[in-house]
Amino acid sequence: MTTKLLHLHIENGVANITFNNPPVNVLSGSLMKSLKEVLHGLSNDVKVIVFDSANPDFFIAHVDINILDEQEVLNELQLTAPEGLNIFQAVGEMLRNLPQVTIVKLKGIARGGGAEFVTAADMSFASLEKGKLAQCEALMGIIPGGGATQYLPAKMTRGRALEIMLGADLFDAATAAHYGWINRALPDAEIDAFVDQLAQNMAALEEGIISTTKKVLAAGFKAENDGWAALAFTPRTAEIMKKAMENGAQTVAGELEIESLLRSIK
Amino acid sequence: MTTKLLHLHIENGVANITFNNPPVNVLSGSLMKSLKEVLHGLSNDVKVIVFDSANPDFFIAHVDINILDEQEVLNELQLTAPEGLNIFQAVGEMLRNLPQVTIVKLKGIARGGGAEFVTAADMSFASLEKGKLAQCEALMGIIPGGGATQYLPAKMTRGRALEIMLGADLFDAATAAHYGWINRALPDAEIDAFVDQLAQNMAALEEGIISTTKKVLAAGFKAENDGWAALAFTPRTAEIMKKAMENGAQTVAGELEIESLLRSIK
Amino acid sequence: MTTKLLHLHIENGVANITFNNPPVNVLSGSLMKSLKEVLHGLSNDVKVIVFDSANPDFFIAHVDINILDEQEVLNELQLTAPEGLNIFQAVGEMLRNLPQVTIVKLKGIARGGGAEFVTAADMSFASLEKGKLAQCEALMGIIPGGGATQYLPAKMTRGRALEIMLGADLFDAATAAHYGWINRALPDAEIDAFVDQLAQNMAALEEGIISTTKKVLAAGFKAENDGWAALAFTPRTAEIMKKAMENGAQTVAGELEIESLLRSIK
């Protein structure tokens, strides 16, 4: 489903969602609504979701300053938001709780609610030259209200989270990666290939691995063991292990390149 | 209030507190007492507190080895310490719980209780050439007792916190920044300008932003939403948003430099 | 105790344990059993344990794909594992709960359960040129089952932990250090000297410092204070403080090199 505000393209289990809300991709109520509908409409065949922007300068500028004009949409979003979350927080938590893995490819500026979107996504990769992030709310007389005060201190030190939110400056991608705000900063010439390869590799994983990993992450040793055990004793896993051994696993030559060996198993 | 042991200078909402306890700035009972009095005496007009040292080599050497000679002061500090904290832990928690944002500008050596002071502060910036940190307690037959065993593993991996406390070596600023011990390591020639600008930017924020951000940080989505909502619907915020739109917010040109645009709103 | 699968060498309070399970050092049931026996047999004189590998290419390849053939050993390991942990998780928790500090010196590849061993150890140092890490379980149709889903998100951001586990690629040591997976990546020519010096420095610490630090780490201010107080008022600590003052502590010259000064106290 492609809407006026975002474009959806699905190929080989990877959904690419491109924001397109000119002139600067503000996060409006309508865009949040479209996003929610598109994400909830994805089939189970989609394993990976990559977000990018049709705008060369901006990923998402920030929440639309005129968002209160969309009262009807806001009411609808709040009514369907999970208990205890406002509509902005609900966007970030949606990205984290999807069975798919969510990736932001950041090749422009993301501030405020746009930066929170990047922070909430499961993974984020930014162009060294063009990716920029800011929590600029303090300059607008407010504090972040869409998760930044919770996500940032979980990703980096308390001091750096405070520097970002109270200093309110625009951060380049290298500093953002150094602080842990994003996964990696990559040369602009390499970021597309890097994210494409990663997305394809993850989309090729066996059923259940992505959703189970997201579910058991930091949920305790019992959750890990249960998630592991549910996958470890299936016929398909036994088949993979058997073929791996036949193809050279546990020999020096096979183990040096075990990733290729395992990925070639059909 | 300036005392023999520390110098206080206030300008434009920024309080600069300079430690001066020759020859090496040990953290004595008297210095802790002076610090507490100065901090509690600050007016609400002060939004940012920057700590530095009058000593070219040392920020704070460590807790005074002869501190037990100051029994009367220690008793007084313990009587007024928050429940459950010893007098050294109380210093760090005081820095974190002030309504102001606390910054250390580290241009010398801080070890032991001095390093814990740096670690506890809301933010810390160190001179690449001169800033050094160590938890050297292990070499004195003890473990850190002023918060390092709690603050360090919250700022960095468990393994790096153990390396610092058990290896007990002096860390340069670059490694400290890499480990997350401090916010940033900056060239000595740039650190004053960087910290001054950051402090002035934060002191210029609207009332309530600094204290609310510190309060809701990592305190849950409801706390964030409550803090945000208390600031989002004030007349002043409406005025800022209106002026921002008039000045070019949500246009490409305006958004490319939105920080300047917002900071110029009176 | 040296076994067929690992070599133990003890000198000056440092135990060196070298894995040797050709051809690629898989983590078999027998190796886990040997490891457990060797670790539990260490005397209290051992303060530091350094793990390395006799194999030039592999630290630990991963869990033995044929491990189910060792049913008797697995049953024994499970019967003696702490409540709530599977046998793989029990290995990592054992490393963390020993009174000694555990260090991995990584000069080869560690994947899967081998990478979890590195992650679980108290500290880890990797050769920049040769140290490599991967959680490759996703390529085998499973998820990590030996602690990675819990340890990784405690060491780094959620997004990077997901990238490691779902991307399932082999990470070089520099990226691993950047992500916080290991303490440091060091040039191969320097890693032995670095780890040896660190191990010797820690083995020379007074009784109780290593175990107390591990115990109180992130366990709250009261635990820290109790651990500190138990060491701060002993005759030996008083003696160290007295000698430190006699040797120049709290003078500029003495404090500039206080680590050497303190380490020279007998």
Side-chain angles (χ1 to χ4, degrees), chain C residues 86-146:
Chain C
N86 70 33
I87 60 169
F88 307 111
Q89 295 166 340
V91 174
E93 287 297 285
M94 176 173 58
L95 297 183
R96 296 198 163 202
N97 292 320
L98 286 169
Q100 292 91 358
V101 63
T102 53
I103 304 178
V104 167
K105 187 164 68 176
L106 185 70
K107 299 172 78 170
I109 294 172
R111 290 192 184 96
E116 286 171 317
F117 188 96
V118 178
T119 309
D122 290 327
M123 302 182 198
S124 52
F125 300 92
S127 159
L128 258 174
E129 295 89 344
K130 299 181 187 165
K132 315 263 183 215
L133 288 159
Q135 296 298 150
C136 59
E137 289 88 343
L139 304 179
M140 296 172 161
I142 58 175
I143 66 164

Side-chain angles (χ1 to χ4, degrees), chain C residues 36 77-86 89-90 93-94 97:
Chain C
K36 194 169 169 177
L77 287 169
Q78 188 61 66
L79 279 171
T80 55
E83 180 73 21
L85 299 181
N86 70 33
Q89 295 166 340
E93 287 297 285
M94 176 173 58
N97 292 320

Side-chain angles (χ1 to χ4, degrees), chain B:
Chain B
M1 188 188 89
T2 288
T3 76
K4 198 172 69 75
L5 299 171
L6 51 80
H7 181 80
L8 170 67
H9 174 77
I10 299 178
E11 194 172 330
N12 294 329
V14 179
N16 197 271
I17 295 179
T18 305
F19 293 117
N20 185 30
N21 190 15
V24 295
N25 276 2
V26 290
L27 189 63
S28 63
S30 305
L31 180 50
M32 287 192 279
K33 187 184 164 187
S34 283
L35 176 66
K36 194 169 168 177
E37 287 168 1
V38 166
L39 290 175
H40 288 165
L42 291 174
S43 86
N44 285 338
D45 296 340
V46 173
K47 301 293 170 57
V48 179
I49 304 166
V50 177
F51 297 96
D52 61 11
S53 164
N55 187 308
D57 293 315
F58 299 94
F59 176 69
I60 295 174
H62 46 67
V63 171
D64 189 352
I65 290 180
N66 298 316
I67 198 166
L68 292 182
D69 297 347
E70 299 176 273
Q71 204 56 56
E72 200 174 328
V73 176
L74 301 188
N75 288 344
E76 185 189 330
L77 287 169
Q78 188 60 66
L79 279 171
T80 55
E83 180 73 21
L85 299 181
N86 70 33
I87 60 169
F88 307 110
Q89 295 166 340
V91 173
E93 287 297 284
M94 176 173 59
L95 297 182
R96 296 198 164 202
N97 292 320
L98 286 169
Q100 292 90 359
V101 64
T102 53
I103 304 179
V104 166
K105 188 164 67 176
L106 185 71
K107 299 171 78 170
I109 294 172
R111 290 192 184 96
E116 286 171 318
F117 188 96
V118 178
T119 310
D122 291 327
M123 301 181 197
S124 52
F125 300 92
S127 159
L128 258 175
E129 295 89 345
K130 299 181 188 167
K132 316 262 183 215
L133 288 158
Q135 296 298 151
C136 59
E137 289 87 343
L139 304 179
M140 296 172 162
I142 58 176
I143 67 164
T149 69
Q150 309 308 304
Y151 296 139
L152 289 180
K155 288 198 147 188
M156 63 186 70
T157 66
R158 180 180 177 278
R160 287 171 172 170
L162 287 172
E163 182 192 344
I164 287 169
M165 290 188 282
L166 298 178
D169 279 314
L170 188 63
F171 277 64
D172 60 39
T175 308
H178 176 52
Y179 276 26
W181 201 347
I182 56 173
N183 280 48
R184 298 182 190 234
L186 297 158
D188 197 66
E190 298 173 18
I191 188 170
D192 286 345
F194 181 93
V195 173
D196 285 357
Q197 186 63 58
L198 177 64
Q200 286 171 33
N201 285 347
M202 295 194 294
L205 296 175
E206 297 292 324
E207 189 63 37
I209 291 179
I210 291 173
S211 57
T212 304
T213 302
K214 286 183 67 168
K215 202 173 97 182
V216 308
L217 195 73
F221 286 116
K222 183 176 185 309
E224 178 184 77
N225 182 66
D226 291 350
W228 168 80
L231 293 163
F233 304 108
T234 65
R236 176 57 181 156
T237 298
E239 183 189 13
I240 293 171
M241 299 296 188
K242 183 165 171 288
K243 288 185 175 171
M245 289 301 287
E246 290 166 3
N247 294 354
Q250 307 203 168
T251 68
V252 170
E255 290 289 334
L256 287 174
E257 307 286 344
I258 194 82
E259 286 80 13
S260 311
L261 185 156
L262 292 169
R263 286 190 176 120
S264 70
I265 292 173
K266 297 301 163 204

